[in-house]
Amino acid sequence: MTISLPESGAPLAHYVSTAPFDPHSVDVMTEEQSRVYQASQMRLMWWKFKKHRLALYSLYFLGFLYAIIAIVELLAPYNLHTRNVDFIHSPPQRVHFFHDGSFVGPFVYGRTMTLDMDTLRRIYTDDVNKVEPIRFFCSGDSYRFWGLFEANKHLVCPAKDGELFLLGSDRLGRDVLSRILYGARISLTIGLLGITMSFVLGIVIGGLAGYHGGVFDLIVQRVIEVLQSIPSIPLWMALAAIMPVTWSPILIYLGITAILGMLDWTGLARAVRSKLLALREEDYVLAAQLMGAGSSRVIGRHLVPGFMSHLIATATMSIPGMILGETALSFLGLGLRPPITSWGILLTEARSVSVIAFYPWLLFPTIPVILVILAFNFLGDGLRDAADPYK
């Protein structure tokens, strides 16, 4: 095939390749470029999230806590209700490894108790001649694992005819460490259950208000403003006081969870409403409506997934508020009630100034509360930054 140039008229040979055309050869990417540009949204978010070190470590820490609450009966040295009447308000014991210059392994010294007749305080002193080795993977107090079957295996046990109070004991001689581990199951799960209820209410109510608008949106906004104008603690106290005292502990637990969930949905609902007010005018929403999609399908399949990452970050940062709410209610005596044990109930032991002065180890339950709240805040901060990985 030849083509003549108009200027000179000289023929120019032109060759056409007969090889099949490969459209991907036009824009060839390197392996690294392909890895980034062809990555899914979730993978991009994970890469961005990993750069936030505090958030990543917080995720590992919270994952570890939620893993151990499944086996707290195995991890706790004592049963939740085991009382050691000879060691009431016993201070924490130190773990030793060497005795008289020789390695013995982890052990604690036995204790003797004397009563101070002036202050009526129990004074405990270590008996260095009484070595009590700590046992591992041993048989100890019996318990019902998740209330399903009897067992008596523990990760750590005191020595035979000995005691082990790594974080001290309370006014009834119960091990504080064991009660903190058992309390973690309630305090951590109540936040997840509460945020699940809040998540559902916030998405449904906020989604309908933002998608339809009109009178329903007006009513929802006024209700949200009224709920947000009431101080949280008095409102929680009023609602918690309504629950009958004849309710079983599990009903009290579910009631507190419902209260926390029903009062925390307002902020999430407003966030969903503001997003949907902007997204409902998009062309793909109109296309879905013209194809006959109902409100629930448009909201659930097309609008909410567009900002789900933001919702997850918001929900993650709301869990600490629920944990603090349960802790405050239980501390005031209006939340969970014994025999259910939570971190808030454990802190009721330290409501007196004299107790704090004489038995400061009863404040140890505040440590996991603070650590969990900080971890959730760091995790929420990392998720919020990773919500838009293209920034």
Side-chain angles (χ1 to χ4, degrees):
M1 178 180 181
T2 58
I3 299 176
S4 299
L5 297 177
E7 292 83 358
S8 62
L12 176 65
H14 180 70
Y15 299 97
V16 177
S17 176
T18 59
F21 175 69
D22 182 10
H24 298 288
S25 63
V26 177
D27 188 12
V28 178
M29 294 186 294
T30 64
E31 182 178 352
E32 185 64 24
Q33 290 175 327
S34 176
R35 177 173 173 269
V36 174
Y37 289 107
Q38 296 181 7
S40 64
Q41 180 80 1
M42 292 301 297
R43 184 175 293 274
L44 291 174
M45 289 178 59
W46 171 245
W47 289 340
K48 182 73 174 291
F49 178 78
K50 288 196 300 183
K51 296 180 180 179
H52 198 299
R53 292 297 181 183
L54 275 177
L56 186 62
Y57 296 150
S58 298
L59 177 63
Y60 294 152
F61 174 69
L62 292 173
F64 171 74
L65 289 183
Y66 278 99
I68 67 174
I69 64 174
I71 54 172
V72 291
E73 294 91 348
L74 177 65
L75 298 177
Y78 292 94
N79 186 289
L80 174 62
H81 306 294
T82 298
R83 297 175 58 181
N84 300 276
V85 293
D86 295 331
F87 294 90
I88 294 175
H89 282 151
S90 175
Q93 293 176 285
R94 291 182 57 188
V95 177
H96 303 270
F97 291 89
F98 294 89
H99 177 68
D100 289 340
S102 60
F103 179 78
V104 177
F107 71 92
V108 295
Y109 287 117
R111 282 184 167 175
T112 58
M113 188 272 292
T114 57
L115 186 63
D116 188 340
M117 300 307 297
D118 295 329
T119 61
L120 297 180
R121 286 184 57 197
R122 292 177 172 84
I123 306 299
Y124 293 92
T125 56
D126 290 341
D127 185 357
V128 295
N129 295 319
K130 188 178 181 182
V131 176
E132 298 180 351
I134 299 175
R135 297 182 295 151
F136 296 92
F137 302 103
C138 45
S139 298
D141 290 348
S142 61
Y143 54 83
R144 289 189 63 84
F145 188 78
W146 282 89
L148 300 177
F149 57 88
E150 290 286 341
N152 64 352
K153 297 300 181 182
H154 296 264
L155 177 64
V156 178
C157 298
K160 291 186 180 298
D161 300 325
E163 305 297 334
L164 180 64
F165 301 113
L166 298 180
L167 296 183
S169 63
D170 63 7
R171 61 185 177 87
L172 297 178
R174 296 171 297 189
D175 181 40
V176 173
L177 174 59
S178 299
R179 292 177 63 76
I180 288 177
L181 290 173
Y182 276 94
R185 176 176 289 172
I186 299 298
S187 295
L188 292 178
T189 55
I190 203 169
L192 288 184
L193 295 177
I195 200 60
T196 300
M197 181 179 296
S198 172
F199 204 71
V200 173
L201 290 175
I203 289 178
V204 172
I205 297 176
L208 292 176
Y211 183 72
H212 292 291
V215 177
F216 182 78
D217 181 31
L218 184 64
I219 295 175
V220 168
Q221 295 310 304
R222 301 294 82 77
V223 171
I224 290 176
E225 290 170 358
V226 170
L227 290 177
Q228 290 184 340
S229 65
I230 303 176
S232 300
I233 296 296
L235 182 59
W236 287 343
M237 294 174 62
L239 293 176
I242 296 175
M243 292 185 293
V245 295
T246 57
W247 278 12
S248 65
I250 189 64
L251 288 179
I252 296 293
Y253 171 74
L254 295 176
I256 295 296
T257 303
I259 289 173
L260 296 175
M262 288 188 297
L263 296 180
D264 194 67
W265 62 271
T266 55
L268 187 61
R270 280 199 160 174
V272 174
R273 171 185 175 271
S274 62
K275 289 289 185 180
L276 261 62
L277 284 175
L279 295 177
R280 69 179 183 178
E281 305 299 331
E282 297 291 336
D283 293 339
Y284 66 88
V285 176
L286 178 61
Q289 293 171 341
L290 293 176
M291 294 178 67
S295 300
S296 60
R297 182 175 181 84
V298 172
I299 295 174
R301 296 293 298 274
H302 301 287
L303 294 178
V304 172
F307 57 96
M308 181 59 71
S309 55
H310 296 276
L311 296 180
I312 294 175
T314 303
T316 303
M317 302 188 74
S318 298
I319 294 178
M322 293 196 172
I323 295 176
L324 288 176
E326 180 276 324
T327 303
L329 284 176
S330 299
F331 178 77
L332 295 172
L334 296 172
L336 301 173
R337 303 166 188 168
I340 287 182
T341 300
S342 69
W343 291 336
I345 290 178
L346 295 180
L347 289 175
T348 59
E349 299 278 345
R351 282 187 293 189
S352 172
V353 176
S354 60
V355 171
I356 297 175
F358 293 130
Y359 317 116
W361 58 87
L362 295 181
L363 287 175
F364 278 138
T366 59
I367 296 177
V369 173
I370 294 173
L371 293 178
V372 168
I373 299 305
L374 289 176
F376 270 115
N377 284 328
F378 290 142
L379 177 61
D381 189 43
L383 289 175
R384 184 179 54 201
D385 292 343
D388 189 357
Y390 294 102
K391 285 187 177 180

